[in-house]
Amino acid sequence: MSRTADLVIVGGGIQACSTALHARMRGLSVIVIEKDTVARHASGVNAGGVRRMNRDYAELALSQRSMEIWNRIETLLDDDCGFQRAPQIKVAETEAQLDEMRARVADLNSMGYDHEVVLDQTQLRALVPAVSPHLIGALASLDDGFALPYQTTFAFQRKARALGACFHEGLAVEAVRRQGADWQISCRGGETFTGRYLLNCTGAWAGKLARQLGENAPIEAVAPMMLVTARLPHFCNAVVGGPVGRPLSFKQMANGTVVIGGGRRGTPDPDTNVSEIRFEHLRLSAAAALAIFPIMAQATIVRSWSGLEGFTPDDLPILGRSSTAENAFYACGFSGHGFQLGPGVGEVMAELIATGSTSTPIEKMSIKRFN
Amino acid sequence: MNQYDVAIVGAGPAGMAAAIESARAGLSTIVLDEQPEPGGQIYRAVEAADALRLEILGKDYARGRDLAAEFRSSGAVYLSGATVVNVNPDLEIFYSKAGILTSFSAGALIVATGAIERSTPLPGWTLPGVVTVGACQIMLKANGRVPDNAVLVGSGPLLWLFAAQMIAADMQPRAIVETVPRSRYIAALAKLALNGAAIGYLRKGLQMMRTVRRAGLPVYRDATSISIRGNERAETLCFESGGGHHELPVELVALHQGVVPNQQITRLLRCQHIWNERQRCFAPVLDSYGETSVPGIYVAGDGGGIGGALAAELQGRLAGLRIAEKAGKSIASDPAAIRGELRREATIRPFLETLYAPSSQILAPADDTVVCRCEELTAGQIRAAIDLGAPGPNQVKSFIRPGMGPCQGRMCGLTTTEIIAASKGETPSLVDYYRIRPPLKPLQLGQLAAFSGEKSDRDTIEGGARG
């Protein structure tokens, strides 16, 4: 296997696999080095939301670009990724919450985006009849959806590999250094790789690699937790987010199981690769789910899970060039909402690396903001 | 502060014996068990059994009454009908009882959750009218009922024991279809080491087989290519035996291929496990007292490797004594003597494990055989996921969802590991097993939402124990 490529990507999550694919499509040779296995952490275990709704304005263009790829994901990857179109909605309990939603939609419209709308109580209940009657409306993005995270990331890897990207799994990167115009990447066990370009896609572990480039990527490992119920008859076709004060993400999968997540965190330990469920905190997710969907009281939980994700202080990803090192790039710190962005991030990063610039504005996500 | 010095999960022979020792040594001890009465599966409902049922089930079963009586008077707090749904690394134990979720903390944990029947994936095993031999025997113990006209299919001492018990109950099975190949008898005899305990087991085994022979029920040996056919439910049992093809009309098929450790709690707590090639299952790594790789967590009984009821009781005593010893309590029994008894008990195991090794048909199910019942996934789908590049059980689980249903992987876990190991040419040890996350048993969302988040005090828990 080749030890030299145009682009060496460290990390094997969706951002890495998507960038590997898009870089191959642009003709760059690619090596991906993953310390565990592809999609082992955040990319394999997240809630799978394909959500444009309620994103930070800085991410909107990227999120839209990504959505265009999601809409043709099966053509791109020869795999449907379990992608299902479904409204993403965020419910409101108070007039004040609804007013904020109206203001946001007005903002978005003025920026030229029309994917989000405000629903009144009647429209909300028509869309999701099972929601609690006390909810008075919602913010919605009707053409969003959800997908299966592991299947999606795995499909990106397979397609990238089929197009010639070279994956090294179970190999931990220890050091990166400049050697002439290239990057030399040394791994535990002595293997080394050489690349013209270096991309840090190491998620919750990205801070360490950044320090080797002499800059600060303040990424904290966080372990969001989720609950899954036994199969239930179909009653919900939307991905439902909780209002302020009731962090919740709620969706019913094609097989009838309901996945409940949103805001509650386990104990992460990035040094040992594990996260511990804080069972006593899951009750808050359960309570939020019941407040929005009272019919869930008798539903049985069969599993919980959590995975390690990298969060930044402002919850925005770190995306783009290094501010200190030539030909080094970042796509990390997605702060629990990187899955939908994955396809777009890959296209944007490949474009940036191959051509030196990208047509999608990503400056606000630059690592410079932490220097 | 810990509410209890020792928490024990399971009130079978291991759990009861452990509680007796630790309570006797003066440690505050609590036992949680899902059943309404102590006994576990082996001594299920033994306190309530009448003379007739005791006669049907035999001396080995009746023995559980003394143990249960000793346990009842040991001073340990006994929480029946309590389902443990989580244990965290600080040994906080969360359980559900009478619809209420409660937690408390313990200084040490003894996992005495015993064995579960090995899953038996073969064509038609998910049809109504197909059950396990263990489930039938539980019905006999708990309700005094036995199924009519059952055909017992598989391998292992339980098959013969249950047949003999059914005959004693005057409800003899229709037939026994045994999957043990003839060549195994020679291989097993080579493993036979005799001592008093082993001779006792052999004698019991021969006695059960004699009972079956005298009753005159048909026994088909060395059966292969087993399948159960039927539209709405099991109608026909098909197999090869004695050089011929057989098709028996059936009403009830009871399958059995031995038992394997219930490893859910030790997996949840990330105790180290190793593959036991002779028993073809994973078991936690234990020291000579039953302590796992995680300090303070012990396993006693079949959950640490299959050894039977008497071994379980001895292991329970050892774990209870060890915790008492570590707490600086004086102990009345000699652990070395108990270990000597354990060694004698174990003498028969190599013979039994060789003779009754699970049939190759269920270890390597055909592509179209369902492996994960909850998500209705076949062996072929698992193999296809591996061929696509999914590296291990957890990735296969993420990818196509085996082990994600209400049984939480108990049914398909070992089979999935075996299939992956065979497909990749790796050892099951290297392939490993599903990661286990809470809840350990399905739990109502409403119960979790109503959980106070506070550890309960002992008065509340013990009030519950009385109630």
Side-chain angles (χ1 to χ4, degrees):
Chain A
M1 264 200 246
S2 172
R3 312 234 154 251
T4 304
D6 298 324
L7 169 63
V8 174
I9 302 175
V10 186
I14 189 169
Q15 316 301 346
C17 293
S18 172
T19 307
L21 170 63
H22 287 103
R24 281 304 301 138
M25 288 162 67
R26 287 182 172 272
L28 298 179
S29 57
V30 180
I31 289 171
V32 180
I33 308 170
E34 159 60 47
K35 72 177 169 55
D36 299 306
T37 54
V38 160
R40 164 69 180 83
H41 297 288
S43 298
V45 299
N46 65 78
V50 177
R51 174 182 62 83
R52 290 173 295 172
M53 184 200 64
N54 211 30
R55 285 199 173 264
D56 191 291
Y57 293 159
E59 290 176 340
L60 273 173
L62 177 63
S63 181
Q64 288 288 5
R65 184 165 177 178
S66 207
M67 201 66 209
E68 284 158 23
I69 305 174
W70 276 109
N71 289 335
R72 55 180 167 82
I73 199 89
E74 190 163 1
T75 320
L76 178 69
L77 301 181
D78 312 317
D79 188 309
D80 67 8
C81 300
F83 176 51
Q84 236 180 298
R85 207 168 286 284
Q88 285 265 356
I89 66 172
K90 180 179 170 64
V91 295
E93 285 179 311
T94 65
E95 273 303 327
Q97 290 165 357
L98 212 51
D99 282 342
E100 268 183 46
M101 291 168 177
R102 291 189 189 103
R104 176 180 167 89
V105 168
D107 273 358
L108 291 179
N109 291 344
S110 72
M111 288 184 268
Y113 295 112
D114 60 3
H115 62 285
E116 291 179 41
V117 292
V118 171
L119 306 178
D120 65 20
Q121 191 175 44
T122 313
Q123 290 166 318
L124 169 63
R125 291 188 63 78
L127 199 61
V128 194
V131 294
S132 169
H134 83 280
L135 300 167
I136 59 169
L139 181 67
S141 178
L142 299 172
D143 290 322
D144 285 357
F146 58 91
L148 296 173
Y150 186 82
Q151 185 178 334
T152 304
T153 306
F154 197 37
F156 267 110
Q157 182 203 19
R158 281 204 314 280
K159 191 64 187 274
R161 185 181 262 159
L163 296 187
C166 196
F167 284 80
H168 298 266
E169 295 175 69
L171 199 55
V173 168
E174 290 215 309
V176 295
R177 70 177 73 82
R178 292 291 286 187
Q179 195 175 54
D182 291 332
W183 287 102
Q184 193 180 68
I185 294 98
S186 320
C187 299
R188 192 173 302 155
E191 287 198 65
T192 58
F193 299 87
T194 306
R196 177 85 197 281
Y197 305 105
L198 174 71
L199 174 61
N200 180 354
C201 283
T202 56
W205 294 265
K208 201 173 140 198
L209 200 57
R211 277 195 294 281
Q212 294 194 32
L213 305 181
E215 60 197 327
N216 179 31
I219 289 176
E220 182 199 357
V222 165
M225 300 191 290
M226 273 161 279
L227 290 169
V228 187
T229 71
R231 295 181 192 197
L232 296 166
H234 257 279
F235 70 94
C236 181
N237 294 315
V239 181
V240 179
V244 178
R246 287 195 210 273
L248 174 71
S249 84
F250 185 102
K251 76 172 72 70
Q252 187 168 29
M253 309 301 287
N255 68 358
T257 60
V258 173
V259 177
I260 299 167
R264 304 303 169 185
R265 296 171 175 188
T267 310
D269 188 351
D271 293 338
T272 57
N273 256 355
V274 300
S275 56
E276 210 62 67
I277 295 284
R278 293 168 80 190
F279 195 69
E280 63 279 20
H281 289 215
L282 281 174
R283 75 194 164 95
L284 300 167
S285 294
L290 279 188
I292 307 304
F293 288 99
I295 61 162
M296 291 292 291
Q298 313 298 319
T300 52
I301 306 157
V302 296
R303 274 174 303 125
S304 64
W305 88 85
S306 81
L308 294 170
E309 305 194 17
F311 277 61
T312 62
D314 58 9
D315 280 353
L316 276 179
I318 298 174
L319 203 61
R321 294 176 187 287
S322 162
S323 65
T324 54
E326 195 189 349
N327 290 342
F329 299 84
Y330 290 94
C332 54
F334 286 85
S335 307
H337 55 263
F339 181 64
Q340 187 271 345
L341 299 177
V345 165
E347 200 178 57
V348 165
M349 292 310 295
E351 183 187 15
L352 177 63
I353 292 165
T355 70
S357 67
T358 167
S359 57
T360 299
I362 57 170
E363 295 74 32
K364 287 188 175 143
M365 292 176 271
S366 164
I367 193 165
K368 281 189 199 140
R369 70 189 193 273
F370 300 115
N371 290 345
Chain B
M1 208 191 98
N2 298 321
Q3 282 104 323
Y4 290 93
D5 297 324
V6 186
I8 298 165
V9 184
M16 289 192 287
I20 291 164
E21 293 297 346
S22 96
R24 186 188 285 164
L27 298 176
S28 62
T29 302
I30 183 169
V31 179
L32 302 98
D33 189 75
E34 287 184 20
Q35 298 307 319
E37 308 292 339
Q41 304 304 346
I42 195 83
Y43 301 134
R44 180 106 151 198
V46 73
E47 292 173 318
D50 57 19
L52 174 63
R53 207 178 297 173
L54 289 175
E55 196 193 315
I56 291 169
L57 290 166
K59 277 206 308 277
D60 291 341
Y61 174 73
R63 194 181 177 285
R65 279 197 303 182
D66 298 338
L67 188 61
E70 197 182 353
F71 167 62
R72 288 275 192 190
S73 61
S74 68
V77 175
Y78 168 55
L79 276 185
S80 62
T83 301
V84 173
V85 294
N86 186 35
V87 184
N88 73 20
D90 299 328
L91 289 192
E92 189 178 355
I93 293 154
F94 298 75
Y95 68 93
S96 163
K97 178 175 161 75
I100 295 167
L101 185 62
T102 309
S103 83
F104 65 89
S105 61
L109 172 70
I110 302 176
V111 180
T113 49
I116 51 178
E117 273 186 294
R118 186 188 290 279
S119 169
T120 51
L122 46 80
W125 73 302
T126 57
L127 283 170
V130 183
V131 294
T132 70
V133 173
C136 292
Q137 200 200 31
I138 294 292
M139 203 159 82
L140 171 60
K141 289 174 181 172
N143 306 320
R145 292 177 49 205
V146 283
D148 209 3
N149 232 0
V151 180
L152 311 185
V153 182
S155 155
L158 182 64
L159 208 66
W160 294 96
L161 172 63
F162 186 59
Q165 289 171 341
M166 286 179 77
I167 291 163
D170 218 10
M171 292 285 277
Q172 73 175 53
R174 167 98 193 274
I176 290 180
V177 177
E178 198 189 43
T179 58
V180 180
R182 287 184 201 287
S183 59
R184 288 259 192 80
Y185 286 91
I186 296 153
L189 281 171
K191 306 269 181 184
L192 189 59
L194 291 176
N195 63 5
I199 289 167
Y201 282 113
L202 285 177
R203 193 175 286 141
K204 275 179 213 161
L206 291 170
Q207 179 62 43
M208 293 184 301
M209 290 183 184
R210 243 195 323 270
T211 304
V212 169
R213 198 167 51 235
R214 271 205 222 102
L217 65 123
V219 177
Y220 300 88
R221 295 195 185 260
D222 199 356
T224 56
S225 307
I226 295 166
S227 66
I228 302 156
R229 298 193 192 144
N231 292 319
E232 299 294 302
R233 52 174 296 116
E235 290 167 9
T236 314
L237 176 73
C238 309
F239 58 94
E240 310 287 328
S241 169
H245 179 76
H246 300 262
E247 296 197 1
L248 306 181
V250 289
E251 287 165 43
L252 187 90
V253 180
L255 301 173
H256 183 73
Q257 289 284 341
V259 296
V260 294
N262 177 356
Q263 48 176 333
Q264 301 293 104
I265 293 183
T266 47
R267 287 276 176 188
L268 173 73
L269 289 165
R270 302 180 206 280
C271 301
Q272 195 189 336
H273 289 70
I274 50 164
W275 178 256
N276 181 328
E277 182 61 30
R278 243 174 36 198
Q279 297 190 346
R280 287 210 88 81
C281 58
F282 287 103
V285 176
L286 304 176
D287 73 6
S288 64
Y289 289 94
E291 191 165 8
T292 66
S293 60
V294 181
I297 297 168
Y298 295 73
V299 179
D302 281 355
I306 304 306
L310 294 178
E313 190 179 323
L314 296 167
Q315 288 163 349
R317 289 193 191 280
L318 275 178
L321 290 168
R322 178 59 163 178
I323 295 167
E325 210 174 23
K326 278 194 180 176
K329 305 282 182 185
S330 66
I331 54 173
S333 315
D334 174 18
I338 298 175
R339 270 199 287 275
E341 282 183 66
L342 255 180
R343 273 192 297 275
R344 280 190 293 281
E345 263 308 298
T347 318
I348 194 70
R349 300 311 305 179
F351 170 78
L352 290 178
E353 286 158 11
T354 306
L355 184 60
Y356 293 129
S359 83
S360 52
Q361 189 186 359
I362 63 147
L363 296 180
D367 274 349
D368 55 359
T369 299
V370 169
V371 169
C372 169
R373 301 176 69 122
C374 301
E375 296 289 323
E376 295 169 64
L377 292 162
T378 63
Q381 285 171 288
I382 292 171
R383 291 184 183 113
I386 297 301
D387 291 345
L388 268 180
N394 289 301
Q395 290 81 11
V396 171
K397 183 165 114 172
S398 295
F399 191 28
I400 57 170
R401 314 179 75 80
M404 290 231 185
C407 95
Q408 301 164 305
R410 287 170 178 79
M411 289 280 211
C412 62
L414 284 177
T415 312
T416 301
T417 292
E418 293 262 13
I419 289 171
I420 295 171
S423 295
K424 300 182 71 171
E426 289 175 355
T427 60
S429 208
L430 193 65
V431 168
D432 211 11
Y433 195 76
Y434 297 145
R435 266 189 302 280
I436 301 300
R437 296 287 208 176
L440 287 160
K441 288 280 172 76
L443 174 72
Q444 278 193 348
L445 193 73
Q447 267 191 57
L448 179 57
F451 178 57
S452 71
E454 301 295 320
K455 283 182 248 187
S456 299
D457 58 38
R458 277 178 58 173
D459 285 347
T460 316
I461 293 171
E462 287 167 30
R466 281 190 294 274

